[in-house]
Amino acid sequence: MDYAHEPSGVFLVIDNKSFYATCECIERGLDPMTTPLVVLSEAANTGGGLVMASSPKAKELFHITNVFRKRDLPDDERLIVVPPRMNLYIEKNLAVNKIFNQYCANEDLQPYSIDESILDITHSWRLFGNNILQVIRRIQHQVKTELGLITTVGLGNNPLQAKIALDIYAKHNREFIGVITNNTVQKKIWTIPKITDVWGINVRTRDNLARLGIHNMYQLAHANPF
């Protein structure tokens, strides 16, 4: 398939890195990239508490994920454990989307979740820089300067490409930017080794695809949809 002839826009999917944990670090005057902190829900139905978010340093030092419960947390004085403050996170979400709205029209900004947004900047990005990566870095810098939040950005010619670029590439490089275009689909998507790493493909979908003889993204791209 020649993806070069597919419709081509300029879309960003922007994620606020470790959003809840970052918000809590900022409110405490702490560096969100170097502080081991977790946000722990203490609802009665979570068996003593469930980790809602962990900072990058907490993940690095203690391998904490969002499936951890209170009993799984290490007894380490370096680890800061705080309760969630949803009103704070909603306030920060509104503030960051207000910044995003400076780069595209209202109808081209779609908040996807409390920490993720989709921006169609096809018709507006040239107002802010000479190339698209320059504009992305400008957005990242503005969000960091004004709100202290760290943004991870996926860029694509459609929202799905941008989302995959975010999840597979942006979250694992130093600039926190990932790029997939129509011209790089074969290199960037067909070669993804684990099919469940792709947004929208859960274990159940993986198993359904396996029954059709589809086990990876290359096979999925070449499957007959009929």
Side-chain angles (χ1 to χ4, degrees):
M1 179 180 290
D2 185 359
Y3 289 93
H5 299 292
E6 293 295 305
S8 179
V10 181
F11 292 86
L12 307 180
V13 177
I14 305 181
D15 172 74
N16 295 288
K17 191 173 182 65
S18 304
F19 183 52
Y20 294 176
T22 297
C23 289
E24 294 295 343
C25 286
I26 293 166
E27 289 297 299
R28 291 165 169 76
L30 303 171
D31 185 340
M33 296 303 292
T34 61
T35 303
L37 179 146
V38 298
V39 179
L40 181 72
S41 168
E42 295 188 353
N45 63 352
T46 61
L50 184 68
V51 171
M52 299 177 64
S54 56
S55 68
K57 200 65 175 180
K59 294 173 183 176
E60 176 189 333
L61 290 176
F62 307 114
H63 310 290
I64 297 171
T65 69
N66 290 4
V67 300
F68 271 45
R69 296 185 181 275
K70 185 176 183 179
R71 61 177 178 267
D72 302 320
L73 295 177
D75 183 14
D76 192 301
E77 62 181 11
R78 293 174 295 173
L79 182 63
I80 301 171
V81 181
V82 303
R85 293 187 283 177
M86 293 308 300
N87 286 340
L88 170 64
Y89 311 146
I90 292 169
E91 176 186 325
K92 292 291 186 181
N93 170 265
L94 294 173
V96 75
N97 277 289
K98 187 174 181 181
I99 292 176
F100 295 160
N101 208 185
Q102 296 175 22
Y103 294 87
C104 62
N106 289 334
E107 60 268 25
D108 294 329
L109 171 62
Q110 303 294 329
Y112 179 65
S113 66
I114 197 167
D115 64 350
E116 205 166 291
S117 297
I118 303 170
L119 287 68
D120 180 355
I121 59 172
T122 306
H123 305 293
S124 59
W125 73 264
R126 291 180 180 83
L127 299 172
F128 305 101
N130 295 322
N131 66 71
I132 186 60
L133 292 179
Q134 181 183 39
V135 176
I136 291 173
R137 294 186 188 104
R138 174 173 171 169
I139 294 171
Q140 289 177 311
H141 178 74
Q142 184 175 351
V143 172
K144 180 70 165 60
T145 301
E146 295 185 16
L147 301 175
L149 298 173
I150 299 158
T151 48
T152 308
V153 184
L155 166 65
N157 288 141
N158 58 56
L160 179 58
Q161 289 176 3
K163 175 62 175 170
I164 296 174
L166 170 73
D167 292 342
I168 303 297
Y169 298 106
K171 293 181 179 180
H172 306 289
N173 68 52
R174 191 169 297 176
E175 283 197 305
F176 300 133
I177 299 173
V179 181
I180 298 175
T181 67
N182 289 343
N183 293 326
T184 62
V185 165
Q186 297 180 21
K187 178 181 178 182
K188 294 286 189 72
I189 296 182
W190 292 6
T191 58
I192 295 171
K194 189 176 179 183
I195 198 168
T196 50
D197 285 343
V198 177
W199 175 83
I201 302 180
N202 56 25
V203 172
R204 183 175 179 179
T205 303
R206 177 202 65 191
D207 293 343
N208 288 335
L209 290 171
R211 282 190 282 272
L212 298 173
I214 299 170
H215 303 280
N216 55 54
M217 293 303 293
Y218 178 88
Q219 292 174 335
L220 181 60
H222 290 80
N224 186 340
F226 306 105

